[in-house]
Amino acid sequence: MSSPERLAGRVILVTGASRGIGLAVARRCAEEGARVVITGRHEEGLNQARDAFPDPSRVLAVVAHAGSWEDAARVAARTLDHFGSLDGLVNNAATNPYFGPLVEADEARMRKAYEVNQAGVVAATAAAWRGWMRDHGGAVVNIASIGGMSVEPGIGWYNATKAAVLHLTRQLAYELAPRVRVNAVAPGLIRTEFARALWEPAEGVLSQRIPLGRIGEPADVAGAVAMLLSDDAAWITGSTLTIDGGTTSRPSGGVGEP
Ligand SMILES: NC(=O)c1ccc[n+]([C@@H]2O[C@H](COP(=O)([O-])OP(=O)(O)OC[C@H]3O[C@@H](n4cnc5c(N)ncnc54)[C@H](OP(=O)(O)O)[C@@H]3O)[C@@H](O)[C@H]2O)c1
């Protein structure tokens, strides 16, 4: 159940919000009273997402690449020009261009994941800070992953960028306090396009391994992000909230496990 007025009067920017978790977060923020800015690389999908909001006039869609510092500055400027403030930022856009062992990874795809997933978080946060939050305050939520806390086959470099996001969250929380709060969420497996190759072939088996008995839905993440953006989290900064149905709260093959 959402709190209708919790984000009233706020302007929230969500990167990578034409579908999946980002779109669910943007919709939830709008339901809770915010005006929202959504970004993505592809104009058609982004505009379709905007037009499906109950009130598209309260949504600004800006085509932008999360790995570009120039785009980060342009999006912040457009947000301020259009809505007049930038009170919340959700660093959601991420990419996973390489699957395989670390020692076989190529430089180009490693750089791309680093630029979007890791440096992109700093770029967008810096743009929001310079443009609005330094003088007026604000809240930032980074979308990390439980992968940033674990060892898994094939997605080691992606997971390393997400481990960096966990650290960046604490570092930025320290650097931007007391006016700006910075937190993260670490989702487990969520039913989106991004993770389709993981959940689609084996959803039943995967669900059995998750204590709460199912994979996650984008809305499972959205409510927690809205809470962290709101004054309900007024004394929370530098924290990571795990949203994984209990995935990381089960035996992991450590010493002592039968
Ligand atoms: N799904 C999971 O199981 C899971 C688990 C843990 C964490 N996460 C994290 O959750 C976040 C969202 O993932 P998702 O599963 O919702 O993915 P998704 O369904 O694939 O959606 C990704 C969104 O980001 C946009 N995007 C992709 N690359 C971008 C870029 N370089 N610049 C700007 N926008 C970009 C996409 O639009 P365009 O293609 O038009 O750019 C799309 O709107 C990511 O940070 C991901 O690492 C996901």
Side-chain angles (χ1 to χ4, degrees), residues 16-22 39-42 64-67 92-95 116 143-146 158 162 187-190 192-195:
S18 61
R19 60 174 186 266
I21 293 169
T39 73
R41 293 163 303 170
H42 302 101
H65 194 304
N92 169 74
T95 187
V116 175
I143 310 299
S145 169
I146 59 169
Y158 165 81
K162 290 299 184 178
L189 187 59
I190 308 292
T192 68
E193 278 307 306
F194 186 74

Side-chain angles (χ1 to χ4, degrees), residues 43-60:
E43 188 168 18
E44 195 183 342
L46 194 62
N47 288 343
Q48 276 173 7
R50 177 199 59 205
D51 294 343
F53 274 69
D55 184 355
S57 72
R58 294 175 63 81
V59 183
L60 174 67

Side-chain angles (χ1 to χ4, degrees), residues 14-221:
V14 187
T15 68
S18 61
R19 60 174 186 266
I21 293 169
L23 179 57
V25 168
R27 290 192 68 112
R28 178 66 184 254
C29 290
E31 274 171 29
E32 299 206 21
R35 289 169 293 165
V36 297
V37 182
I38 58 175
T39 73
R41 293 163 303 170
H42 302 101
E43 188 168 18
E44 195 183 342
L46 194 62
N47 288 343
Q48 276 173 7
R50 177 199 59 205
D51 294 343
F53 274 69
D55 184 355
S57 72
R58 294 175 63 81
V59 183
L60 174 67
V62 184
V63 175
H65 194 304
S68 159
W69 286 68
E70 202 178 313
D71 280 11
R74 181 172 54 81
V75 171
R78 277 276 282 140
T79 302
L80 293 169
D81 193 43
H82 191 80
F83 284 137
S85 72
L86 175 42
D87 310 290
L89 167 66
V90 182
N91 285 309
N92 169 74
T95 187
N96 184 18
Y98 172 71
F99 188 88
L102 284 179
V103 290
E104 288 175 21
D106 58 280
E107 186 180 350
R109 282 184 292 181
M110 288 180 85
R111 276 192 192 283
K112 180 165 186 194
Y114 157 77
E115 283 166 8
V116 175
N117 302 5
Q118 185 174 335
V121 167
V122 180
T125 306
W129 167 258
R130 289 180 193 140
W132 182 261
M133 293 182 182
R134 175 172 49 198
D135 296 327
H136 304 277
V140 177
V141 178
N142 298 323
I143 310 299
S145 169
I146 59 169
M149 310 164 177
S150 52
V151 174
E152 292 177 279
I155 54 174
W157 185 240
Y158 165 81
N159 281 352
T161 67
K162 290 299 184 178
V165 172
L166 298 175
H167 183 78
L168 289 175
T169 298
R170 294 191 301 274
Q171 182 72 28
L172 286 166
Y174 167 69
E175 292 185 8
L176 305 189
R179 299 204 76 172
V180 177
R181 298 181 298 99
V182 185
N183 291 293
V185 297
L189 187 59
I190 308 292
R191 191 192 309 278
T192 68
E193 278 307 306
F194 186 74
R196 182 179 288 279
L198 297 177
W199 56 262
E200 195 167 60
E203 185 174 344
V205 176
L206 291 168
S207 296
Q208 280 172 13
R209 289 194 209 138
I210 299 171
L212 293 186
R214 62 171 176 85
I215 67 170
E217 304 294 336
D220 290 317
V221 181

